Amino acid sequence: MSLTPSLTPQGFQTFITNLGIKDSTDDFVLIKSDVPCVADGVFTQSLFAGTSVTISRRNLKDNQAQGIVVISKNANVANGAIGTTDAEEVIQIVATETGISPDNIVIASTGVIGRRYPIEKIRAGLLGIGNKLTTANFNLAARGIMTTDTVPKLAARQVGNAKLVGIAKGVGMIEPNMATMLAFFFTDAAISADVLRSIFRSIVDKTFNCLSVDTDTSTSDTAIILANGLAGAVSESEFAIALQEIANELVLKIARDGEGATKVIEVTVDSALNYVQAKKVAKAIVNSPLVKTAVYGADPNWGRVAMAIGKCEDELSINPENIVIRFDNIQVYPNILNEDNLDELRQVMSQDKVNIHVSLNIGEAIATVWGCDLSEGYVEINGKYST
Amino acid sequence: MSLTPSLTPQGFQTFITNLGIKDSTDDFVLIKSDVPCVADGVFTQSLFAGTSVTISRRNLKDNQAQGIVVISKNANVANGAIGTTDAEEVIQIVATETGISPDNIVIASTGVIGRRYPIEKIRAGLLGIGNKLTTANFNLAARGIMTTDTVPKLAARQVGNAKLVGIAKGVGMIEPNMATMLAFFFTDAAISADVLRSIFRSIVDKTFNCLSVDTDTSTSDTAIILANGLAGAVSESEFAIALQEIANELVLKIARDGEGATKVIEVTVDSALNYVQAKKVAKAIVNSPLVKTAVYGADPNWGRVAMAIGKCEDELSINPENIVIRFDNIQVYPNILNEDNLDELRQVMSQDKVNIHVSLNIGEAIATVWGCDLSEGYVEINGKYST
């Protein structure tokens, strides 16, 4: 979608440019609020978390921020002390140019790991940017944070008098764990830090943390929300619903744009003992390369879903005799298929979005997760990404 | 390799044929010892373990067996009660035909999940097989247990006066966990059940359980060893070394024949706090689709190894600042590479076998695991397996 002015929250400015990080597409995005914002962020749990993650985590400790810097095509990860010095310098330049306090600036960076920023180019490119900020263009911002993404990812809602917009990027190295790929949310709603934090973390957990493209957790995962309060207070529940809807939209956009993906896979596991179990089983299915390739080929090899459930070896309360497996409305296990049903199953598996539904029949909990199929395209893209 | 008569253990007979399970290649293998054997087996931990696994586990409880039946191209998994009835009938027919007690027969079956055996064809094909057994041909047996394998997998050693031979199959759905794909070992050494069990389980854990093609744990994983004792006692340590060497050879053959694989990946993690940690980190690397595709493309994107280590989020004793990452002898982290080194790294990553070495520098433990790269071939093979 393209964001219309009527859904653009007030009081934000942007500057988007190419600094020559890798190629000639936009690779630098600055989003600045006119006033300091209530803010929250969740980040990758990777042991190799990037220096941008470390700095942003520190700068968000007081739940306040005014500017977000995003550099794409270079993750600035695993570069040691010089990587941290480079990131701090970028923040200092932006602070000087814009008048924002450096500890109110957060930074995110994704792309190749283990290569230093072209710091001379960055210094030159950032000269005078304080004067180049214009009324926020979130469409361009969504495009500027892309790496191997093929489409920008943006969603927005009205909440009372306020607006809420979210942008995200991510196509590979995606198995967020208590965090996410890059996603940024901006609102002019007035909301307290505690409420924002509680709503934001609960929604990230049920949306971005339920998404997986390839089981590889990024070193740079970052999700941040800024609320500048200029539109005044809104209903908390309406705000939560709008945020959840935006997050869901972005998750589906990311799954659909997964590297090489031709189909979205949505897996729901219900009647589980608890949410953790439901999500674990659902993730085992959506992450199985054999399930993913079967969906890609529309091959009615449903037994691979049974295999994937079987991998959850610690979940001893699960009994195969109680389980029901469906693709859309076609029951495949217990197995009642004949050649006609197999053809129907092939049809269902040929759709843009393939829904797999598992009932464990041992409890009340339910979880839904999202992913994508595995095609030759994923291999092709990732066999030659850095070169 | 092809097994020579001089390495064939005495006192085993085989019968290999095509029963028409799926196509016209051999799909039924019977290996019979002239006398009851000391035996042991380890099996998949899958919650959806196949009926063959359940039956074999039961029949091996007394550590005695005399015959092994292997059916390929159909896993007989997730078929409910009728699947169990079919498997028991196969065992009963073989028992009647050969004179072996049914509880001394073990069975293994791999292939598509959720399809019933063509039981009429099997009944017809097994008539009179008691008279068709001939001196063991382990080369044909290794071929008869194949599904999508492209080469038979066999290894053998002399131990004192005894011989030890192992055969294995497996190319996909391979992430053994406390068990393995199909692997069978036969020896005429005399060895006690307790010693055999202890040696066998320890070696399976360090070999087959350190192998992964695609993180998908099979419902049919089975590793069984039969010792008929006809060659008399041997040195326990020599036997253990020979078994370990054979298992290592088979593991490398499986990794090399991984679906679509063009290269073997060997990952060693040393100076870890303990073996579990070393193996966990090594598995995270060898299973990462981004590491696998980088190896496939000989793309010197070593940062993905750092990313994969970072995924072991619970291992808080691991500190990126202590870690050293090498490909063969080329250190990539801490990062000292320039364009010349990158070319060297490309060379190393173009080899048939790519060795990745990680030093955690926090302890003494070491683990080595094996896997293979991820190519378009994996997707192609698995997008249309059942059809």
Side-chain angles (χ1 to χ4, degrees), chain B residues 26 40-41 46 60 183 185 208 232 311 335:
Chain B
D26 286 344
D40 192 28
S46 170
L60 277 174
F185 300 86
F208 292 102
K311 286 164 70 179
N335 187 4

Side-chain angles (χ1 to χ4, degrees), chain A residues 114 177 216 299 311 313 335 386, chain B residues 114 177 216 299 313 335 386:
Chain A
N177 191 2
D216 273 347
D299 179 351
K311 285 165 71 179
E313 302 158 350
N335 187 4
S386 82
Chain B
N177 190 2
D216 273 345
D299 178 352
E313 301 158 351
N335 187 4
S386 83

Side-chain angles (χ1 to χ4, degrees), chain A residues 170-211:
Chain A
V171 277
M173 205 181 276
I174 291 186
E175 161 89 43
N177 191 2
M178 308 301 292
T180 177
M181 68 301 313
L182 294 192
F184 305 101
F185 301 86
F186 306 90
T187 181
D188 46 12
I191 192 159
S192 77
D194 285 352
V195 170
L196 186 70
R197 188 183 171 90
S198 151
I199 291 176
F200 188 55
R201 296 193 173 206
S202 141
I203 286 173
V204 166
D205 200 43
K206 302 257 168 156
T207 55
F208 292 102
N209 283 354
C210 288
L211 167 68

Side-chain angles (χ1 to χ4, degrees), chain B residues 35-86:
Chain B
V35 296
C37 299
V38 171
D40 192 28
V42 291
F43 301 92
T44 184
Q45 299 297 302
S46 170
L47 298 170
F48 257 100
T51 193
S52 306
V53 165
T54 310
I55 292 171
S56 295
R57 198 180 266 141
R58 182 193 72 201
N59 286 359
L60 277 174
K61 269 219 174 111
D62 59 359
N63 281 110
Q64 202 183 61
Q66 193 173 352
I68 296 182
V69 169
V70 188
I71 292 177
S72 60
K73 279 84 161 184
N74 184 320
N76 189 21
V77 167
N79 287 323
I82 192 70
T84 304
T85 306
D86 287 348

Side-chain angles (χ1 to χ4, degrees), chain B residues 66-122:
Chain B
Q66 193 173 352
I68 296 182
V69 169
V70 188
I71 292 177
S72 60
K73 279 84 161 184
N74 184 320
N76 189 21
V77 167
N79 287 323
I82 192 70
T84 304
T85 306
D86 287 348
E88 298 280 15
E89 183 179 348
V90 169
I91 287 180
Q92 191 54 58
I93 294 172
V94 171
T96 307
E97 289 282 345
T98 61
I100 308 176
S101 162
D103 60 7
N104 271 345
I105 296 174
V106 291
I107 183 166
S109 198
T110 65
V112 68
I113 294 173
R115 304 276 169 83
R116 205 186 150 188
Y117 281 156
I119 193 70
E120 301 287 346
K121 286 188 194 172
I122 293 179

Side-chain angles (χ1 to χ4, degrees), chain A residues 22 46 48 75 77-78 111-115 147-148 171-174 214-219 259 377-387, chain B residues 267 281-312 325 327 332-333 345 349 356 358 374:
Chain A
K22 185 179 177 187
S46 170
F48 256 99
V77 167
V112 66
I113 293 173
R115 303 276 170 83
T147 53
T148 52
V171 277
M173 205 181 276
I174 291 186
D214 57 4
T215 76
D216 273 347
T217 303
S218 161
T219 50
E259 284 170 337
Y378 180 88
V379 176
E380 202 190 326
I381 291 165
N382 286 301
K384 54 178 192 197
Y385 175 65
S386 82
T387 50
Chain B
V267 180
V281 173
K283 279 275 188 108
I285 297 167
V286 87
N287 280 333
S288 158
L290 290 170
V291 171
K292 288 158 77 86
T293 47
V295 169
Y296 171 60
D299 178 352
N301 201 339
W302 60 265
R304 292 176 177 175
V305 175
M307 175 280 298
I309 299 169
K311 286 164 70 179
C312 303
I325 305 174
F327 280 70
V332 296
Y333 179 87
L345 184 51
M349 292 179 72
I356 301 174
V358 174
L374 173 60

